[in-house]
Each structure stands twice: as structure tokens, then as C-alpha cells.
Amino acid sequence: MLKGVHLERGHHGQENYMALVIAIDAGTTGVRSMAVGESGDEVAYAYRSFPQHYPGPGLVEHDPNEIWEATVATLDELCTRLRALGDRMMPAIAAIGITNQRETVVAWDRRTSEPLARALVWQDVRTAARCSELEADGHLAEVRRLTGLVLSPYFSGTKIEWLLRHGGLPASGDLAMGTVDSWLIWKLSGGTAFTTDVTNASRTLLYDIAANGWSQPMCELLSVPTAVLAEVRPSAGRFCRTGDTTPLGPGIPVSGVAGDQQAALFGQGCHEVGMAKNTYGTGSFVLMNIGDACPKPIEGILTTVAWDLGEGPTYALEGSIFATGAAVGWLTEILAGAVDPAGAESLARSVPDSAGVVVVPAFAGLGSPWWDPSARGAIMGLTFAAKPAHIARATIESMALQTRDVVQAMSAGAGRDIAELRIDGGAATNDLLCTIQADQLGVPVSRPVVTETTALGAAMLAGLAEGVWTSPDEVASLWRLDQRFEPSVDRAAPDRLHGLWRHALERSLRWSPGEESS
């Protein structure tokens, strides 16, 4: 087993000892475990997908055990790869960092460590009617003031309420309800630590982001007893030590935790006020660092905790887009496997424009700045001249167009324009998307060498806590530019495309969902 026992830097005898930090990135569709060296470079990684469960329209679930099994499998493979480096270095694990899909809710029995229900995923909209009821009863203003969020089925609070009411959970003191980070901490610690960090707590609808604690008014509103919730800690600091439950072995400190988007903001080196990033994953998430003062709510935009390094929270504005990478996945399905996600770019490049076709990927409603769970996806502007290539290009354009809407709303609310957008995530390798994005925003788009900045941010938080890196400035200096995409001087064409997008968008908003979200 690999244990965190060698922390020396440089040479020791004939061997080169190097402190590594392991990042566990538990995303929506799979788990990536990555070893990060002191230079911030990826040393090795492993990935496993896990099943998605769709029991009905608008319902999205995960099996918590399948998430844990994928985690163990990636750590096992990662250990094998690290052992293979033994002829040129002796890797030593200094710490573990965790980053995770946010808002997804797991319920388990603390006595048996077994899940009590399937996890309700952030994409699940079964509580849409409940959110509408709460808003109709006049609770939105208080929710915005206390949590920085909106009344949406996206967030954890109404999911927890639904599980408590309809999930058949035992009314005992052994019940634990938490986000995916809490579940992984529990399993990694061998069932001894029930904790979360402030970034994940700030996404639950149950956390007061100004007072930095679970909100009694919100817990009462949603009938959630605080006894079932995890202890909240800063993002960088000791959460637990590993038990003997993984190939890593016992005794390794788990010292950094952050929700995936906050981890990406940190990993992108956006440590100064006004810096912004966008992560193109299943959805897209634009975050802007706004410093250590909690702002008043901004229409259409969320306020969230970016991180806490132990001296109080740093805040961020966030725009949450529900389907970007997921839209490309949908595209490959409707084209009957004729292209994979990588081939979608080549197909889109085969035409000079989308020929008036617009794709609105509102498969699970629309997030920022609209917050309309009843919106539904649409393809508009079809003519006999429209070909699969035009639909492919319109799908890629939709990723950039949604981002423009979010950035404009964010900049207007904050009274601050962004000077640059740093990007990461799977679709950040799509040069066509990057070019369209720069044109739509009118500012440079910068792609780093390491695009897995979600995992990198979690590793950096853990490494800071354990002394692998000495300061946030040292961490930020590890960010390295791969390519910078400059916007077109001509603004007419991007603005014309955006106008067409907004025209189509209005037609997908406020679609009647019938019975699917009841």
C-alpha cells in the first residue's frame, strides 16, 4: 500500500522523493482520481464511469454504492500506476482532496454505512412543484437573503425534504443526509467522520452564507432536522484520516474539500476579485471571485461561497447552465452514433455557420439567468437546407450563447466587466467552441495546460492545508496558459447570432411540463 510517510523533497540516497496530493473528483457521470505533483502537474490518473438511473421523466438518480465502487476502482488503478513510477521516483501521498458534483443528496445509515435510498441528483426536478409552492407563499426573498440561492429543484434542500417525506427513511438518530463529499469522507474514514465543507453547504438551501452556519429558519421551512446534517468545516483543513478501506491505506489526511465549480475557480488561479472562469462539463458554470464581503442578491445570479482557507469565506457570483456537454452527448445520440463528442467539432466545422438553426438545450429546464424549470429543449429555424452539420454547429454555439447570457447578467449585477474568461472541463479542448465563446463575449478566452482544474483545485486545497504549498500565491503561480483565443474585431456577426438565440430562447421558456414534475 502507498502511505503518506515520505514527505521529503529532493533526493534521498539514490531515490527522488516527491510529495503527491491525490484528488478524488466525483462528478455526475464518473469518478476521476488524479495524483498531482508539487509543480501542479498531473502525475497519473484513473477514471471510472458509473450508471445513471432515470426512473421517470425529469427524475435522475445515482446509487451511492456505485459512486463509492467507482472511487475505490480509480484509487486502485492509480496506485498501480504510481507503483510503476518506482524506478525513477518514490511517490509519497501527503494528502487527499475531494471535489464533487454539488447539490446531489445521499442518505445513509451511520450504524451500517449503507445507503437508505438512491441519491437524488442535482439534475432531478421532482421538487419543481414544491419550489413553486414556496415561492407562491412568499419565501423567495428570505431564501435569497439567507442562502444566496433561488427556489429551484436544482438545490439540495427540497431534495432532502422530499426524501424525508417520501423516501421511507428511518426516524432514528442514525440517519445521515449529505452531499457526495460527505458520503466519500464517511467511507474513506471508515465511518468515523460526518463532515462537509462550506462550499458544498452553501449549495443546500439550508446554509446561511453570511452567518456561516446552518440556517435555523431554512431548516424549519423545509422541516429538516439539523441532527441529520454534517459538521461544516473550511475548505482547506483536516477533515479526517483514511481508514483501511482503500488501496491507499490508513492514516492519510483528507485535507481539502470543495464543490466542483469552486474547486475549479481555485484551480484556475482566480484568487483576485473580478477574475472569472467557466467549466464546460455536463453543464457549464461561470464563477466570478467577488472577495470576502457577502453581497446583496443579484437578479438571475447566485451568490455562493468560493472557499474558506481557515480565515473566513471568499464569495463568488455564479451562473449555472444545466446542459452544455450533456447537449453534445444528446447530439451524438440523435445522430445514431455517427459522431462521438470529439467528432462533433469536425462535423460542425464542415459548415461556415448554422444556417439559421438554433438549438436550445433546455433538457432539464433553464438555469441562470432564467431559472425556469418548465423550459424545454427545442430545435428552431429548420428548413430543407438544414443538415446534421448545422445542428451540430448550433449545439456548440448554444454552449457559448448561454455563457454570454450569464456573463452579461453577472457583469451588470456586479457593476464589473470581466477582462478574460479562463476555461476548463472536457469541452475546453474544442477550439471551435473557444473561438465562438471569445467572439460572443468580446474578451479573450484562456485555456490552461491542465484543463482538469476541478481535480487540481481540490488537490491544491489539500496541499495548502498540509504544507505541500505554502500560500495561495504559490498555488496561483502554478497556472500555465496553453492557448488564448482572441475575439473577432467585427461585433456584428456575433451579435446577430445572439439575437437569433434570444428569439428562439423566448419560445422555449415557460413550457407547460404537465405532470412530469409533480
Side-chain angles (χ1 to χ4, degrees), residues 398-460:
S398 74
M399 300 165 74
L401 290 161
Q402 291 180 96
T403 300
R404 174 172 172 170
D405 287 345
V406 166
V407 169
Q408 286 182 337
M410 187 178 291
S411 297
R416 176 191 297 270
D417 291 329
I418 65 169
E420 169 197 48
L421 184 69
R422 294 186 173 184
I423 63 169
D424 55 74
T429 59
N430 185 319
D431 287 355
L432 177 61
L433 169 63
C434 297
T435 300
I436 295 171
Q437 189 68 85
D439 288 346
Q440 284 298 319
L441 294 178
V443 300
V445 168
S446 297
R447 181 173 64 204
V449 171
V450 178
T451 58
E452 292 296 336
T453 55
T454 300
L456 184 61
M460 289 173 167

Side-chain angles (χ1 to χ4, degrees), residues 22-74:
I22 304 298
I24 299 172
D25 181 357
T28 304
T29 57
V31 178
R32 173 185 294 267
S33 290
M34 185 169 82
V36 177
E38 295 168 22
S39 64
D41 291 323
E42 176 188 299
V43 175
Y45 80 92
Y47 178 81
R48 290 288 189 283
S49 61
F50 53 77
Q52 310 293 299
H53 302 281
Y54 305 103
L59 309 183
V60 189
E61 299 176 351
H62 289 157
D63 182 330
N65 279 332
E66 290 172 343
I67 296 175
W68 174 242
E69 289 162 6
T71 303
V72 172
T74 60

Side-chain angles (χ1 to χ4, degrees), residues 305-324:
V305 177
W307 53 74
D308 184 345
L309 303 182
E311 299 178 351
T314 293
Y315 295 94
L317 296 180
E318 175 174 334
S320 305
I321 301 167
F322 293 162
T324 50

Side-chain angles (χ1 to χ4, degrees), residues 145-158:
R145 179 180 63 83
L146 292 173
T147 71
L149 307 177
V150 296
L151 282 165
S152 168
Y154 172 36
F155 302 109
S156 310
T158 55

Side-chain angles (χ1 to χ4, degrees), residues 278 280-286 301 319-328 358-370 375 377 394-410 421 433 436-437 440-441 497-498 501-502 505 508:
N278 189 17
Y280 300 94
T282 303
S284 280
F285 301 87
V286 184
I301 299 297
S320 305
I321 301 167
F322 293 162
T324 50
V328 177
V358 179
V359 172
V360 182
F363 303 108
L366 287 169
S368 304
W370 314 107
T395 301
I396 292 174
E397 288 172 345
S398 74
M399 300 165 74
L401 290 161
Q402 291 180 96
T403 300
R404 174 172 172 170
D405 287 345
V406 166
V407 169
Q408 286 182 337
M410 187 178 291
L421 184 69
L433 169 63
I436 295 171
Q437 189 68 85
Q440 284 298 319
L441 294 178
L497 176 59
H498 186 249
W501 157 259
R502 293 296 292 267
L505 187 69
S508 76

